[in-house]
Amino acid sequence: MIPLAIPHLGGREADYLQQCIESTFVSSVGPFVDRFEQQVAQAAGVAHGVAVATGTAGLHAALAALHVQRDDLVILPALTFIASANAIAYLGATPWIMDVDPLSWTLDPHVVEQALAQHSHWQGDRLIHTPSGRRIAAMMPVHVLGTPADMQRLIPIAQRYKLPVVADGAAALGAMAHGQAIGALGAELTVFSFNGNKTVTCGGGGAVVSHDAALIQRVRHLTTTARQGPGYDHDEVGFNYRMTNLQAAVGCAQMERLTELVGAKRRIRDRYADALGDLPGVTPFQAPSWAKSAWWFSGVVVDRPPQRQEHLRAQLRQLGVDARPFWKPIHQQAPYRNAPVSATPVVDGLWWQILTLPCSCGLTEQDQQRVIDGVRQVLKG
Ligand SMILES: *Cc1c(COP(=O)(O)O)cnc(C)c1O
């Protein structure tokens, strides 16, 4: 079976792990953590970063740092991994779920603008969601699949409504928009994941980056039990969300090869686009012309009935190709069935048509050809 996405640990990971063990720096203080934070911030195009235990923890801490509170709403696209919504829910807040753009699959600025114009009003300096009376506290665009959300249009809307922006860039390290790196597109905070299936992995891990040193300091404070100084004084309810030196050791070795790893993802996606674009009812993953996606995942949109979709996946598995469905929208998930949601025609028509294909950085040309041949065989009719 050609797997969907497995890590590519072809650098100095083992060497750096050995250094951790010999130095006894295996826990959350250590030179690899500092180095990793600098590498990630630099790659994201900003000056400051803090490494954390997971991407989800990073999202939680980022929203907390921007003072999202119980009963607040946070604008969130319907098409994302459940972790984005969970981070909002951990704070007692609720996602306000909105539709995505049909090309990029990221939060649609037009939809956000309309929803805010029609369903919000000011109460002093509080922006209120008119139907529920709740405060609207933040906006969380998601750089889906490593394709940047349209921040050039989203940021002015956020500014007009005084909403801080946390970008879920979990899989988007290495992506660019209008020639700018992914952390420098106007979000107050951008969050990455280094989970095992991401392009760059620490086994598990995350990072929060920003141009704003004070804000990153606040995230760091919250993720280190809100401890003040060397004694046991804590000034608020913090979290133990630190990354360990062991995780960072793997991460540092991976970051040294970021260009190579993201380059491999882009080549894989381009090859699928070239080899499968002519099949009827099949559209390879697309991105807007101004975006340079990091192409965490590759695949095709297959315009066939949902039952046949299942059948296609089963047939591909029989040919040794691990093809999988993609995220089910947030408003269809049990914990978020009662969350406010704007009309979502794009995501409702799209999500079940998405078929992700093997795209490990180490996928050989030969194996990719096997996937292409298999997909052509199964989808030609
Ligand atoms: C992977 C991912 C996350 C979660 O990151 P973890 O490190 O697994 O907690 C969150 N959001 C998106 C969009 C992701 O792809």
Side-chain angles (χ1 to χ4, degrees), residues 53-57 59 80-84 142-144 168-171 192-195 197-198 204-206 296 327:
T54 64
T56 311
L59 291 169
T80 185
F81 183 52
I82 192 104
S84 323
V142 179
H143 302 312
V144 177
D168 181 345
F192 301 110
S193 165
F194 302 99
N195 187 36
N197 69 350
K198 298 299 198 278
W296 168 45
W327 301 321

Side-chain angles (χ1 to χ4, degrees), residues 119-185:
H119 302 296
S120 75
H121 65 273
W122 290 100
Q123 208 171 73
D125 61 352
R126 289 164 65 85
L127 182 65
I128 302 298
H129 178 248
T130 309
S132 66
R134 292 173 171 220
R135 181 176 81 118
I136 307 163
M139 184 192 292
M140 192 197 281
V142 179
H143 302 312
V144 177
L145 294 172
T147 300
D150 190 350
M151 303 298 273
Q152 251 188 12
R153 290 171 62 208
L154 289 167
I155 295 293
I157 300 167
Q159 284 171 343
R160 192 148 17 100
Y161 287 94
K162 299 193 166 62
L163 295 172
V165 175
V166 173
D168 181 345
L173 200 58
M176 316 266 290
H178 305 283
Q180 295 281 332
I182 195 72
L185 305 180

Side-chain angles (χ1 to χ4, degrees), residues 306-326:
Q307 318 81 275
R308 286 221 42 206
Q309 201 77 4
E310 272 305 316
H311 189 57
L312 294 175
R313 279 201 291 277
Q315 284 180 291
L316 282 167
R317 288 191 79 82
Q318 272 176 10
L319 294 172
V321 173
D322 191 3
R324 296 207 198 163
F326 198 50

